[in-house]
Amino acid sequence: YFSANNPFWKIFNYGQGGININREGRFSSGAQTSLGIELWEFLLFRNNYSLNTSIGANPVEGRDYYEPRTENRFYKTPVTYFGNINASTDYNKKLAFDFGGRSSSADGTRYFSYGYYVAPIIRFSDKWNMKLNVFWDKYENDRGWVNTISDDEIVFGQRTIQTLENTLTSRYLFKNDMALSVTARHYWSKGQYDQFYLLNHDGTLTPNNAYADDYNFNTNFFNVDVSYSWQFAPGSSFILTY
């Protein structure tokens, strides 16, 4: 990494990067369920803007024991590739922004996903700020669990899913150890199926439209949360949420 004491090209205050390798396995047997490799970087510019990007892959097929919703059954996940970019403007300004996007794809299927987010932040004073988070994602030809007929008949489906989430949060700081926040959230998700499969015992899928009921969905949720927090002693906090 580098810092302001050793400025890089005279336009960065700080920067770092690295590579992450993550292996996951079953606790009961130790068998590998997934392997991921990610190359990332973070840069902080002299104007306090920041940039964070990463690219990576799951270079080998994995085993998902959760998606089938049945004990000891698994779905063989394909090799996937992904990348994302995230940026922020100067938080010292009255108006700042977080924004970015991401994308992923998979071998052997037509799966492709992409999305973006933008989050303006308004600072009315040193004690009061407001932030709006807007997230939009689309998953094309995503595959996942649909229904369980029996332990030997687990139905998967291929669907296109769109999701939009808007969250507005206002936070007021009474003093350093006491704050009140109000969050209003709207979540919308729509999914449309175009193919159904039967999950085989080796984790692969066999097309089978005999199970083609109407599993399309269109959901909306709206909720408001109020949270009061007070740190009345070091390491001790009182939090009230409604």
Side-chain angles (χ1 to χ4, degrees), residues 11-240:
I11 60 174
F12 301 112
N13 278 337
Y14 177 81
Q16 61 179 349
I19 182 170
N20 296 330
I21 300 176
N22 180 56
R23 180 190 181 276
E24 296 183 1
R26 298 199 79 189
F27 179 78
S28 58
S29 64
Q32 178 174 295
T33 57
S34 69
L35 177 67
I37 301 175
E38 181 183 27
L39 182 66
W40 62 274
E41 60 76 25
F42 172 81
L43 297 173
L44 178 63
F45 295 83
R46 286 191 174 272
N47 60 1
N48 289 324
Y49 283 43
S50 66
L51 178 67
N52 172 227
T53 60
S54 69
I55 56 172
N58 300 108
V60 297
E61 292 182 335
R63 289 189 173 190
D64 188 339
Y65 285 88
Y66 297 100
E67 190 65 22
R69 274 80 160 172
T70 301
E71 189 174 358
N72 293 324
R73 296 295 302 274
F74 65 89
Y75 167 56
K76 185 177 290 185
T77 55
V79 173
T80 57
Y81 309 92
F82 57 86
N84 64 73
I85 181 170
N86 307 280
S88 297
T89 62
D90 187 358
Y91 288 160
N92 295 317
K93 304 292 185 181
K94 292 290 185 181
L95 177 63
F97 289 89
D98 293 332
F99 54 93
R102 60 150 202 92
S103 182
S104 62
S105 62
D107 277 352
T109 70
R110 292 179 294 137
Y111 171 79
F112 182 64
S113 69
Y114 50 96
Y116 72 86
Y117 73 92
V118 59
I121 307 165
I122 303 175
R123 184 167 57 86
F124 299 103
S125 68
D126 291 340
K127 293 185 176 182
W128 182 27
N129 65 67
M130 184 175 292
K131 183 175 183 179
L132 173 64
N133 288 285
V134 179
F135 288 84
W136 179 85
D137 287 290
K138 186 173 184 179
Y139 304 84
E140 297 181 354
N141 303 307
D142 177 67
R143 294 178 178 181
W145 178 88
V146 173
N147 194 15
T148 299
I149 309 300
S150 69
D151 288 352
D152 292 322
E153 287 186 275
I154 301 175
V155 183
F156 270 52
Q158 179 171 278
R159 61 273 177 115
T160 295
I161 301 175
Q162 294 186 68
T163 300
L164 175 65
E165 183 176 2
N166 298 304
T167 304
L168 180 64
T169 300
S170 181
R171 186 171 187 267
Y172 188 82
L173 186 68
F174 296 100
K175 50 184 182 177
N176 291 338
D177 56 6
M178 185 182 298
L180 177 70
S181 65
V182 180
T183 300
R185 173 179 175 266
H186 172 248
Y187 175 88
W188 169 78
S189 184
K190 179 181 179 181
Q192 185 168 358
Y193 287 85
D194 57 26
Q195 177 71 60
F196 292 89
Y197 305 87
L198 194 63
L199 179 66
N200 301 316
H201 283 273
D202 64 355
T204 60
L205 300 176
T206 298
N208 192 327
N209 280 320
Y211 301 96
D213 285 329
D214 186 11
Y215 290 105
N216 297 337
F217 59 87
N218 192 339
T219 57
N220 278 278
F221 298 97
F222 179 78
N223 62 279
V224 177
D225 298 324
V226 180
S227 178
Y228 168 80
S229 62
W230 173 35
Q231 184 177 341
F232 56 87
S236 301
S237 297
F238 172 78
I239 300 174
L240 181 64

